[in-house]
Amino acid sequence: MPDTPSKSHTLFRGTLNIAVVLLGLASGIAQLAEVPTRIAQWALTAVFLACLLYFVVRLWQLAFVVRIRQLDADLIDAAKALSLQRAGHQHYLEAIQRISDREKPLFSETLEVLVTVGDDDESDRIVEKRVTTPDPLVTHRTMRPIVPTDTDRLIRLDDIDFKALRPVDGSITALPLEQSRLLRVWLIFDPAVTTPTAWQVEYRPVGLWRPLRERGWDQLVWEDRLPAASGAPSAFTRFEVTFSFPESDQPPSVKERQGYGRIAEPERDHRGRWEVIWRDEKPAGRRYVWDLTQAVGGPSRR
């Protein structure tokens, strides 16, 4: 079978055929009508220029179509490569999560959490202060920040302005392991923790306490499911949470649903905000549920 002519060959042959036909028609019409020679020359020149312009436009169109097809092919190849890369990246993340889930903590630590109920969505804030004692060392660990779960919106580290701070002797790199309604973060210590070390994370879960501001009650759940390698039911040796509420004429209330730990009476701080401190001196791998209430309507006006 003969080869199928290329686009460029077809274009050139079609343009040449059109030019020959137009020139022939123009020449024949000029002879039949006895058009003066000068006018005939101008007519033939005009036909030639029109054919040339047509050829240039068609050639540009062909080059444009070829370029678009090439870009489409490149885009498909890039999409396939990106899909393969994402799949490989997800395999790495899933492997890290499995390793983390199987490992028992080679450390003990104290934990102090400051839960700030803001006056608005933007001012909700969480600070977790830890002192980790390694046994014998800690190179990495995972954690789940406290984020809103009342919507299906995906939460990413950048969305909550997540920061991990190690004030002395090193740094902490925070990488997302799972970015969904239950955010999970992988923390890598550089250098590894070999002595009791203080560090903290802070973040802004925008809108976390919106239900509390709107209806006057909400709850906070914390899972302490990290049995230590030493056999202790929890890696925590002390667990404290300070709940900070906006200024109001009526004091807020905090109650742990199962009666775990001890809760102090609400007190005002130097800014006029209410503080309620809850503390468990002997954590034992429990599931804590705190019920919070506060007056609806924002801070008092004096």
Side-chain angles (χ1 to χ4, degrees), residues 46-290:
V47 171
F48 172 77
L49 292 176
C51 292
L52 181 62
L53 179 62
Y54 173 80
F55 177 78
V56 171
V57 171
R58 287 286 293 167
L59 186 63
W60 178 85
Q61 183 183 23
L62 175 63
F64 181 77
V65 171
V66 170
R67 180 58 178 166
I68 291 298
R69 289 179 178 175
Q70 182 61 45
L71 290 175
D72 286 341
D74 292 345
L75 183 61
I76 292 174
D77 291 340
K80 290 180 179 179
L82 181 60
S83 178
L84 291 174
Q85 187 178 23
R86 285 178 174 173
H89 180 65
Q90 186 61 36
H91 287 320
Y92 280 109
L93 296 181
E94 291 172 355
I96 293 171
Q97 291 189 58
R98 289 196 299 271
I99 292 172
S100 176
D101 290 340
R102 292 169 184 169
E103 284 186 344
K104 291 185 177 180
L106 298 175
F107 60 85
S108 60
E109 71 182 10
T110 62
L111 172 60
E112 297 179 9
V113 183
L114 173 60
V115 177
T116 299
V117 179
D119 295 316
D120 52 37
D121 287 357
E122 297 294 330
S123 53
D124 289 339
R125 189 166 177 260
I126 303 289
V127 178
E128 301 181 22
K129 297 181 179 180
R130 302 173 188 255
V131 177
T132 300
T133 302
D135 182 23
L137 83 165
V138 176
T139 59
H140 68 94
R141 61 179 299 178
T142 62
M143 64 168 292
R144 289 190 182 276
I146 302 171
V147 296
T149 57
D150 56 342
T151 68
D152 292 330
R153 182 173 65 92
L154 297 181
I155 305 294
R156 297 177 173 83
L157 282 185
D158 291 341
D159 296 334
I160 62 175
D161 194 22
F162 186 91
K163 294 182 178 64
L165 308 172
R166 185 176 174 181
V168 181
D169 298 333
S171 62
I172 304 174
T173 300
L175 300 174
L177 272 183
E178 180 183 348
Q179 300 193 104
S180 63
R181 292 179 66 248
L182 296 175
L183 179 64
R184 194 172 190 180
V185 185
W186 187 29
L187 302 173
I188 302 97
F189 297 90
D190 185 23
V193 176
T194 57
T195 59
T197 301
W199 58 281
Q200 71 180 51
V201 298
E202 56 185 55
Y203 47 96
R204 296 171 52 248
V206 176
L208 174 66
W209 297 114
R210 182 186 304 162
L212 179 61
R213 283 185 289 272
E214 292 179 348
R215 66 193 181 196
W217 61 271
D218 203 353
Q219 69 177 26
L220 175 64
V221 178
W222 186 289
E223 296 276 0
D224 177 18
R225 302 296 187 188
L226 291 176
S230 63
S234 173
F236 294 147
T237 57
R238 183 171 176 271
F239 185 18
E240 178 178 300
V241 183
T242 299
F243 297 91
S244 176
F245 295 86
E247 180 184 0
S248 173
D249 291 332
Q250 300 179 26
S253 69
V254 177
K255 181 180 180 181
E256 205 291 313
R257 191 169 296 180
Q258 301 299 324
Y260 298 136
R262 306 176 77 176
I263 298 177
E265 292 297 322
E267 294 184 357
R268 292 184 185 271
D269 64 11
H270 65 281
R271 299 167 296 175
R273 294 178 59 88
W274 289 101
E275 279 192 354
V276 179
I277 299 177
W278 172 93
R279 184 180 296 114
D280 190 348
E281 297 290 353
K282 294 182 178 180
R286 301 175 175 124
R287 182 178 189 267
Y288 301 99
V289 181
W290 297 280

Side-chain angles (χ1 to χ4, degrees), residues 10 14 29 32 38 88 141 148 187 215 228 235 252:
T10 303
I29 292 173
L32 290 174
R38 190 171 184 82
R141 61 179 299 178
L187 302 173
R215 66 193 181 196

